[in-house]
Amino acid sequence: MLEKRIIPCLDVKDGRVVKGVNFVELKDAGDPVEIAKLYNSEGADELVFLDISASSEKRKTAVNMVSKIANHVFIPFTVGGGINSIEDIKAILDAGADKVSINTAAFNNPALVSEAVKIYGSESIVVAIDVKYNGNFWEVYISGGNVGTGVNALDWAKDVEKLGAGEILLTSMDRDGTKDGYDIEATRAVAEAVNIPVIASGGAGNIEHLYDGIKNGKADAVLAASIFHFKEVSIKEVKEYLKSKGVEVRL
């Protein structure tokens, strides 16, 4: 059985880590480099850095910040936000990231994903999917969660797999920052629809939620922000808890 991964997420805006609710009401959570160093030392399996306003502000990801973080972390490091071209992907990987996460550009230009996979391999390409339940299905949202597409997330997830992406970062906008737990139904539905790893994101509020995302959501990895940023629980505590529940993790 593959080990399940615990992934802290740095949502960055204007050079600072922030955390909000449903993608708005952002609060400052600290310096990205210092927080990244802490998670590296605490035993995080990976680290995700999302420049959350890059797409909506139509600008590039902050490459200098990526480079600074990469100099201090020795775990797989994924970067997303404002990545629109092969040149952008190259710049991020050259700055020290191990993977790129593409959301809006992947949806608007699916060929970007397949081209990137050909050049850099599927293990370097993550497609992020932000979803919101519209009463009938989980709808894909782009541009930092500001634009609904009318597309069913299950259909887009299957397309993403066909394009060759190595994994999916699935964020429930309904649950984001609420601390009410992941959207288990959405996570499980996507995980069962594809054969590539799915990272659950949006809503982790306690240690049990992370277990629920893996056990009932069938996620391969669980991503969290607030509970780690504000020291509500440590990565070590999460892993020890999961281990006690029979989940394979790297201690």
Side-chain angles (χ1 to χ4, degrees):
M1 183 188 293
L2 287 174
E3 293 173 339
K4 301 299 184 181
R5 293 167 289 152
I6 310 304
I7 306 177
C9 181
L10 309 181
D11 291 324
V12 176
K13 182 177 170 65
D14 301 325
R16 300 287 290 177
V17 176
V18 295
K19 195 64 201 103
V21 178
N22 307 127
F23 283 37
V24 295
E25 296 175 22
L26 303 177
K27 292 180 182 174
D28 187 277
D31 176 71
V33 177
E34 293 307 313
I35 295 174
K37 285 162 67 175
L38 176 67
Y39 292 145
N40 181 77
S41 66
E42 281 190 347
D45 295 299
E46 297 188 15
L47 184 68
V48 168
F49 170 108
L50 299 177
D51 190 336
I52 60 171
S53 57
S55 286
S56 59
E57 293 172 4
K58 295 184 168 51
R59 61 171 174 78
K60 305 294 186 191
T61 304
V63 174
N64 289 344
M65 180 70 75
V66 171
S67 183
K68 285 180 187 174
I69 292 173
N71 286 333
H72 292 285
V73 300
F74 306 98
I75 52 177
F77 175 36
T78 301
V79 174
I83 296 172
N84 297 301
S85 66
I86 292 297
E87 291 73 23
D88 293 343
I89 293 168
K90 182 179 187 303
I92 295 299
L93 295 176
D94 285 350
D98 300 282
K99 308 177 191 179
V100 294
S101 173
I102 316 171
N103 187 332
T104 302
F107 187 87
N108 289 334
N109 179 22
L112 174 64
V113 178
S114 52
E115 188 182 352
V117 168
K118 280 180 194 164
I119 298 169
Y120 296 107
S122 60
E123 67 280 357
S124 297
I125 309 301
V126 179
V127 171
I129 305 179
D130 297 334
V131 304
K132 189 186 286 189
Y133 193 67
N134 64 11
N136 295 306
F137 58 85
W138 293 284
E139 182 179 352
V140 176
Y141 274 68
I142 58 173
S143 298
N146 291 301
V147 179
T149 64
V151 171
N152 188 317
L154 299 185
D155 294 331
W156 175 226
K158 291 173 187 172
D159 289 344
V160 162
E161 180 177 26
K162 287 175 191 163
L163 291 167
E167 59 189 331
I168 290 169
L169 171 54
L170 182 74
T171 300
S172 165
M173 294 178 61
D174 298 311
R175 297 299 183 97
D176 174 69
T178 63
K179 297 192 172 183
D180 290 335
Y182 300 111
D183 186 329
I184 296 300
E185 286 186 40
T187 304
R188 183 171 60 244
V190 171
E192 289 179 342
V194 298
N195 294 306
I196 55 175
V198 173
I199 304 167
S201 168
N206 58 46
I207 210 163
E208 289 84 7
H209 290 155
L210 293 142
Y211 174 70
D212 197 26
I214 291 167
K215 179 70 174 175
N216 298 314
K218 299 194 175 179
D220 297 272
V222 282
L223 180 145
S226 301
I227 60 170
F228 294 139
H229 296 343
F230 301 119
K231 307 289 189 293
E232 292 165 35
V233 65
S234 72
I235 291 163
K236 185 169 184 281
E237 287 169 329
V238 169
K239 289 191 170 188
E240 287 174 346
Y241 175 80
L242 293 175
K243 192 80 170 174
S244 75
K245 302 281 277 185
V247 177
E248 285 293 319
V249 291
R250 180 181 64 85
L251 289 173

